[in-house]
Amino acid sequence: MSILVCGGAGYIGSHTCVELMEAGYDIVVADNLYNSCEEALRRVERITGKSVPFIKTELCHAGEVEALFAQHPDIDAVIHFAGLKAVGESVSKPLEYYSNNLISTLYLLDAMRRHGVKNFVFSSSATVYGDPATVPIREDFPTGGTTN
């Protein structure tokens, strides 16, 4: 199984890449390096002893997303960590955040449909759980009392 990790050069994305690779999955990382760096991928390679296929791409450009899937026809699943998420910046740049997060997701989903990829995980903020009683936060925790 090959998994496309969008935003895989970021903090959460790179840690997820390590876990996926150590679990035996093949990965492809797509990132525009807006809030990340290639050094994170080199660290993933050092930790796992395996190379990380990396495509610098802009997920808000439909043609680039289509090219990504065409170049990697073995993609079986997508994990989308490439959304913008800084609360303060989202208040000062709401249209940029809305545009990036919605358009990139729609282009990914559209390309997935055309290429028969049916497995999708969208990473979002854990602030929907408020101030949790324990950590790590589980998906079955009650939501509400958001912190942002």
Side-chain angles (χ1 to χ4, degrees):
M1 176 176 240
S2 182
I3 301 174
L4 173 62
V5 184
C6 301
Y11 181 79
I12 300 295
S14 62
H15 283 74
T16 300
C17 288
V18 169
E19 294 300 319
L20 290 170
M21 293 171 78
E22 289 185 343
Y25 293 99
D26 295 323
I27 66 165
V28 175
V29 171
D31 204 304
N32 67 2
L33 302 176
Y34 171 75
N35 193 22
S36 56
C37 65
E38 286 187 69
E39 177 58 29
L41 298 176
R42 288 190 286 276
R43 290 176 182 157
V44 169
E45 291 176 337
R46 284 195 299 273
I47 291 168
T48 64
K50 301 174 188 172
S51 68
V52 175
F54 170 64
I55 294 90
K56 184 176 180 189
T57 192
E58 181 51 65
L59 298 175
C60 288
H61 295 155
E64 291 187 34
V65 175
E66 180 58 34
L68 175 63
F69 279 85
Q71 291 169 8
H72 298 277
D74 57 335
I75 293 171
D76 300 301
V78 175
I79 301 177
H80 186 7
F81 292 118
L84 298 175
K85 65 195 176 316
V87 175
E89 187 179 61
S90 73
V91 173
S92 64
K93 299 179 178 181
L95 294 178
E96 289 87 341
Y97 270 60
Y98 184 80
S99 177
N100 178 81
N101 294 353
L102 180 61
I103 290 172
S104 65
T105 303
L106 290 174
Y107 286 160
L108 278 168
L109 291 171
D110 192 38
M112 288 172 64
R113 179 179 53 202
R114 281 193 307 281
H115 292 270
V117 179
K118 298 180 191 259
N119 302 299
F120 182 74
V121 174
F122 180 81
S123 175
S124 185
S125 171
T127 62
V128 297
Y129 296 105
D131 189 18
T134 62
V135 175
I137 299 170
R138 292 190 329 263
E139 215 173 311
D140 62 349
F141 278 23
T143 58
T146 57
T147 56
N148 287 307

